[in-house]
Amino acid sequence: MVATQSADGAGPVGGDGPTGDAGPVGRGRPVGGDGPVLADVGRTDRALRGFLHGLPGVDEVGAARRTAQLATRSVKTTAKAYAVDLAIRMLDLTTLEGADTDGRVRSLCAKARRPDPADPGCPPVAAVCVYPSMVATAAAALRGTDVHLASVATAFPSGQAPTAVKLADTRAAVAAGADEIDMVISRGAFLSGRYAQVHDEIAAVRRECGPAHLKVILETGELGSLDQVRRASWLAMLAGADFVKTSTGKISPAATTPTVLVMLEAVRDFRAATGRQVGVKAAGGIRTTKEALRYLVLVEETVGAPWLSPRWFRFGASSLLNDLLLQRAKLATGAYHGPDYVTVD
Amino acid sequence: MPAGRLAVRKTYKLFVGGAFPRSESGRTYEVRGANVALASRKDLRDAVVAARAAQPGWAGATPYLRGQILYRVAEMLEARAAEFGALGVAAAEVAAAVDRWVWYAGWADKVAQVRGNANAVAGPYFNLSVPEPLGVVGVVAPADGPLLALTSVLAPAVVTGNTAVVLAAAAHPAAALTLAEAVATADVPGGVVNLLTGRAAETAPWLAAHRDVDGLDLTGLTDADLARECESAAAETLTRVRRPAPEDFAADPGTGRLAAWLETKTVWHPKGR
């Protein structure tokens, strides 16, 4: 938990708690069109702390109830077929193992381009996500396709390395051909309230990325509460993130629907305040089509159509793709499929 | 017993993955005054997933252990003789079913001797044929009786390391689920035996067409048109189908049903001189 409290009490939000008019979590209006204030927020630790601790609190029970209620939504037949294809198009097909080899990365890239070789109608995934040392291999395997290449960087998954090392890590990944960078925040600094340090590090990595997209991994499983998730989301967006991402997938709990709900509300409110749209990536622990569809329902109901595209919402997963393919085959053939009919990876 | 005590009646639910869930559809049907879960195709899907997950572990257990566990099913069944009696199962049939489990349990570590062989070959090789389990077997249980017929189709499928998804006879769900309770308390790993109650005519075509089912026993399907439909659906994915002529389950079962759900693996091993 954060030991320090907001020094100046009320931040820019004042006493604006959950309003209750837009779902139980409340539609926070922390900046209210006050542009210059937001631009200056990142300047000092004190201003950042005042702003982040002034964000309205999250009703955790309400968030859990809201997502549980949305999880009962039934998506069938043509809607399901559309959703399954959309989920495939939103997928960052990931391999982040110490045992990754060039061959494994190449076969993953082949699967990313043609997830179901038997069906030309099956769309490719959004991106392949690998460690920086595998970027060159993946870049060669993906050349000439629309599949993006994401690389984790900044001492993934712990983020416990000197800033210079993190920047070099990022630079190397971009130079090798990554057009998306998944960085981790320094949770140690964030949890001890050194917000400016986290902010400046994200901003520095953002500069190193150049044209590449920056996804900022909050590792929500280590943040402790949804209030902290909301603060970390805002902090990342203020520092220039193009995406906020839930987890590394290396610790449990990884992505959960209440966490993603809070992050979706944060990007929605951030766009309302600044006009800049930020994407959300749910990563870790999403293995079944049923779970993936719950996230899509959550996106639709929270932020709506503007985010319902691979440009603005992503899944980070590896085994999810096989389950999506099995569901796709079930819809196409009418018979239940088995794991014998998809690749083992 | 104090006067006016309320009766505590058993709810008959499905047996999937070692648990006793209700049907996901929430449907029930009535058999002799008891409400019994009416399985849907999604229950069937869940059962196949559970069977597939349990299969490698069950096949990997030593034959000796599988035999011990199936013998324990016989013990549990014996202990429930009174309950089967209350369900209208004749004492002689319970005894025959217990004996049938014991008989098949004994086969667990003997089937390799009967179905396997050391082959003579024209070269310096050890050449061994050994029986291996087929995988997930779907069984439409016969309606010939409440307990012995079900035992006679289920035990030979699982004893060799297969896992089974059984569609119990619609007329005898209570005895089938009491057998499932015996299985559940006999150290049989969850998912090795999965039992669905309801109408086979509704779920059997899904079982036949399911691509993750390796063998299909249509013994209990009496409707010839439906059986043919299931056979052609199963042929789509080369599922092995067994659709025998009517048989007398009280007779000596032989090893035919055991052998139906086995593959033969042949190993060539170089031999020095």
Side-chain angles (χ1 to χ4, degrees), chain A residues 3 18 44 83 143 154 188 242 333:
Chain A
T44 66
R143 193 160 296 136
T154 71
D242 297 307
T333 63

Side-chain angles (χ1 to χ4, degrees), chain A residues 17-20 22-28 56-59 62-64 66 230 261-262 265:
Chain A
T19 53
V25 181
R27 182 190 287 269
V58 179
D59 171 4
R66 172 81 175 143
R230 177 171 279 177
L261 172 63
V262 169
E265 290 187 335

Side-chain angles (χ1 to χ4, degrees), chain A residues 187-198:
Chain A
R187 277 89 75 194
F190 179 82
L191 291 174
S192 40
R194 301 198 301 275
Y195 298 132
Q197 181 190 335
V198 179

